[in-house]
Amino acid sequence: MLLLLTSASLALSLAGVLAFVSRNSDLPPYTLLTGAGLGLALLICICEILRLRRITRAHALAMEGTNDGMWEWDPLSKELRVGRRLLSILGYADNFLVDTHRWLKLVHPDDRAGYNEAVSSHLKGETPHFYHEYRVRAADGAYRWLAARGVAQRDGRGVGRLMAGSITDITERRADEARIRYLAHHDALTGLPNRTQLMDQVPRLIARATGRGTMLGVLFVDLDRFKTINDAMGHSVGDILLKGVARRIAEALRPLDQVYRQGGDEFIAVLPEIAGAGDAGHVAERILEAITRPMREAGLELHTTATIGIALFPGDGGDTETLLRNADTAMYAAKARGGASCHFFSEQMNERLQRRVSLEAALRNAIATGELELHYQPQVNVSDGRVVGAEALLRWHHDGRFIPPDHFIPVAEETGMIHAIGNWVLDTAIAQAARWHAECASPPRIAINLSPRQFWHSGLARGILQRLNAHQLPPDSIELEVTESVLIQPEGPAIGELRTLRQHGLHLALDDFGTGYSSLSYLRNLPVNRLKIDKSFIFPLAGSHSENPEDAAAIVRAIIAMAHSLSLSVVAEGVETAGHLHALQRMGCNLYQGYLLSPALPAGQFAETFLRPA
């Protein structure tokens, strides 16, 4: 419609000029030219007015129709004009924003200086355009985050005469960013500051403690047997427990202290401005007491304990990593003593840890470097002295010395290396048994020890049977020794694997009987052929290790009688004297092994000493 009106106006104006010229053709030429010029000027004015009207209307429509709030502002008169969309964003029905002063009253007090600086910088030509994010009070009294952008129109001297632009509501974006920042520095489950915030804040606390000459305590808190709760009751219950523990630790701290969630069931408490170890110890005791109290959450009564390691600045470390590592070391030292306690770090712990790390690193290469070997200790018939078996015992020769098995076997089990080492032992012992079976007149049955952790990987029985088949070795040439720890989970895979091996003809022995989880009901269901009495019960029999050897004799006699009633044979370990042997003969023990006859020997030496060629 506007276009049609514009065309009609131009046509009428042009027609008027032509009519004027035709009616006054007898006038002087300059008069005609003047009239024509005025007519053209009128036409140009009309066209410009129409163009400006279109631009103004388009601008008004843009201010009304855009999703952003449009604005324009006169820096000299301070007059402000805003579109209805901006008013709608803020929830205002009427436009009362007639000038800058009205607008600034809505800007958050903390943001006004930054807003004014951004506007001023652009008007001075210091920035190519104006952009600023700030908070503005809405009609409901809440503050909304707005992003304002614009540009100034300048005169020939570069002075800003007009600024115009748009405003976008970024409240949701700002809220999302705040949540992301929060989650980056807080644990999502407990709401506690996380490790990221810990590593950011502790250096500042160390610097402050250094400046003030005070101490700083770092407590490494680890829940005891948390995995058992997760496995038995589910992760949802475990999460409930973790939230409750987090709350109780926070309540047990002093106002200056802060607790962080390290991850899993581990928490770190940082204690600034402590006077000494006593302060840290008191806080640790309060934390232990708070965690130990029964926890009633979501209709459940939950019980747990914790172990705490304590490191102090500056004595136990001058930086965050060292303090955390030493507190962790102290915590593991407390765990080794049974847990549910707190322990301060000492340099001796660090030395033990370094030895442990070195031992672990060397053990990882022991197979590849040929440092592992098997020695064989004879198992002897008590009644006639014949060597009928040999226990394969693992030896590690490293740096010119033999490292005792009780030093490196626990490391192998904790690190998972026991699987590779256990496979090497099976390969080596079964191959040796096959050679003796082919070369000797009366080859001994070889006893091989299995770690309970070897049962964690499926297929143990299948792998052993495959090795026997590959060497064409009769299954009854091998005896497998397991400890009583397999009884911890009698319903687990270990019992099924043992039954499979027993069904295929291998012999099974229960090692170190009487020192662990002995249970007659479990023993009755285990597919074992033999019990091995631990040497701790044999030593006192000769009277040199006990004031009353009769008590020790009564225990050994009862074990032998029980085993025989279950049709099991018995091997006594640690037989070192003739007195030990005589006592076992009187009790009816079947086999013995120990230094009385021989220590464990390398395969070649064992064969030369105890075996006859075929």
Side-chain angles (χ1 to χ4, degrees), residues 202-358:
V202 173
R204 291 200 291 268
L205 294 174
I206 290 175
R208 189 170 71 183
T210 302
R212 297 181 179 180
T214 58
M215 296 179 66
L216 177 79
V218 175
L219 277 56
F220 199 115
V221 184
D222 184 89
L223 299 186
D224 299 325
R225 296 176 296 279
F226 177 70
K227 184 178 183 300
T228 303
I229 295 174
N230 258 348
D231 292 344
M233 307 182 72
H235 287 273
S236 59
V237 174
D239 288 347
I240 291 173
L241 178 63
L242 288 173
K243 288 190 284 188
V245 166
R247 186 170 58 252
R248 289 193 174 186
I249 294 176
E251 292 170 352
L253 298 178
R254 305 170 308 162
L256 286 176
D257 303 336
Q258 178 63 58
V259 58
Y260 306 79
R261 188 181 179 197
Q262 167 89 343
D265 60 344
E266 297 174 345
F267 299 86
I268 306 292
V270 179
L271 319 180
E273 299 184 20
I274 58 175
D279 288 350
H282 290 319
V283 174
E285 291 293 344
R286 288 204 302 270
I287 292 174
L288 288 179
E289 189 277 330
I291 292 175
T292 303
R293 291 198 312 270
M295 209 171 290
R296 293 172 179 83
E297 303 280 350
L300 300 170
E301 182 169 294
L302 304 175
H303 299 265
T304 190
T305 57
T307 301
I308 301 178
I310 306 172
L312 303 175
F313 170 84
D316 298 332
D319 59 84
T320 306
E321 288 287 357
T322 303
L323 287 170
L324 289 173
R325 182 173 65 250
N326 290 342
D328 189 23
T329 299
M331 184 273 293
Y332 275 107
K335 287 271 190 186
R337 298 186 176 188
S341 61
C342 60
H343 206 299
F344 284 89
F345 173 78
S346 67
E347 195 56 43
Q348 290 75 18
M349 293 179 190
N350 210 24
E351 293 171 0
R352 286 195 296 271
L353 179 62
Q354 293 302 321
R355 289 197 298 270
R356 163 66 182 266
V357 170
S358 299

Side-chain angles (χ1 to χ4, degrees), residues 55-79:
I55 292 173
T56 303
R57 180 57 178 162
H59 180 61
L61 288 174
M63 293 187 76
E64 292 295 330
T66 183
N67 189 52
D68 291 346
M70 306 298 291
W71 58 272
E72 60 182 41
W73 174 62
D74 186 334
L76 300 179
S77 68
K78 309 302 181 185
E79 182 182 353

Side-chain angles (χ1 to χ4, degrees), residues 268-544:
I268 306 292
V270 179
L271 319 180
E273 299 184 20
I274 58 175
D279 288 350
H282 290 319
V283 174
E285 291 293 344
R286 288 204 302 270
I287 292 174
L288 288 179
E289 189 277 330
I291 292 175
T292 303
R293 291 198 312 270
M295 209 171 290
R296 293 172 179 83
E297 303 280 350
L300 300 170
E301 182 169 294
L302 304 175
H303 299 265
T304 190
T305 57
T307 301
I308 301 178
I310 306 172
L312 303 175
F313 170 84
D316 298 332
D319 59 84
T320 306
E321 288 287 357
T322 303
L323 287 170
L324 289 173
R325 182 173 65 250
N326 290 342
D328 189 23
T329 299
M331 184 273 293
Y332 275 107
K335 287 271 190 186
R337 298 186 176 188
S341 61
C342 60
H343 206 299
F344 284 89
F345 173 78
S346 67
E347 195 56 43
Q348 290 75 18
M349 293 179 190
N350 210 24
E351 293 171 0
R352 286 195 296 271
L353 179 62
Q354 293 302 321
R355 289 197 298 270
R356 163 66 182 266
V357 170
S358 299
L359 184 71
E360 180 181 334
L363 185 57
R364 291 189 183 278
N365 298 317
I367 296 177
T369 56
E371 294 181 349
L372 296 182
E373 57 182 295
L374 291 181
H375 287 191
Y376 298 84
Q377 185 172 44
Q379 293 180 333
V380 189
N381 192 307
V382 170
S383 60
D384 58 19
R386 289 184 303 109
V387 174
V388 296
E391 181 179 2
L393 296 170
L394 185 60
R395 296 292 183 261
W396 181 20
H397 191 264
H398 178 66
D399 281 347
R401 64 188 181 93
F402 279 104
I403 297 178
D406 59 353
H407 285 194
F408 70 87
I409 292 297
V411 175
E413 290 186 326
E414 291 172 17
T415 60
M417 287 188 281
I418 193 64
H419 299 290
I421 293 173
N423 286 334
W424 180 87
V425 169
L426 286 169
D427 289 336
T428 305
I430 290 175
Q432 184 62 63
R435 283 193 292 272
W436 283 343
H437 197 78
E439 298 170 359
C440 300
S442 300
R445 178 181 292 124
I446 303 299
I448 304 171
N449 290 278
L450 296 178
S451 165
R453 298 191 179 222
Q454 289 179 261
F455 290 93
W456 292 5
H457 288 186
S458 61
L460 176 64
R462 182 175 64 254
I464 293 173
L465 295 174
Q466 287 173 347
R467 290 178 174 89
L468 294 175
N469 185 59
H471 289 283
Q472 297 183 342
L473 188 66
D476 64 354
S477 301
I478 299 296
E479 181 170 272
L480 301 173
E481 295 188 5
V482 297
T483 60
E484 297 177 20
S485 55
V486 299
L487 300 176
I488 297 176
Q489 294 180 314
E491 73 284 356
I495 305 301
E497 295 272 312
L498 292 174
R499 288 199 176 105
T500 298
L501 293 166
R502 183 72 186 92
Q503 290 166 2
H504 281 82
L506 284 86
H507 287 246
L508 302 178
L510 189 60
D511 198 11
D512 299 335
F513 184 78
T515 62
Y517 305 91
S518 302
S519 167
L520 290 178
S521 60
Y522 289 155
L523 183 60
R524 185 163 46 87
N525 294 321
L526 280 175
V528 296
N529 308 84
R530 184 170 292 163
L531 295 184
K532 298 191 73 175
I533 303 177
D534 186 71
K535 59 187 177 183
S536 61
F537 295 102
I538 302 302
F539 286 163
L541 291 181
S544 58

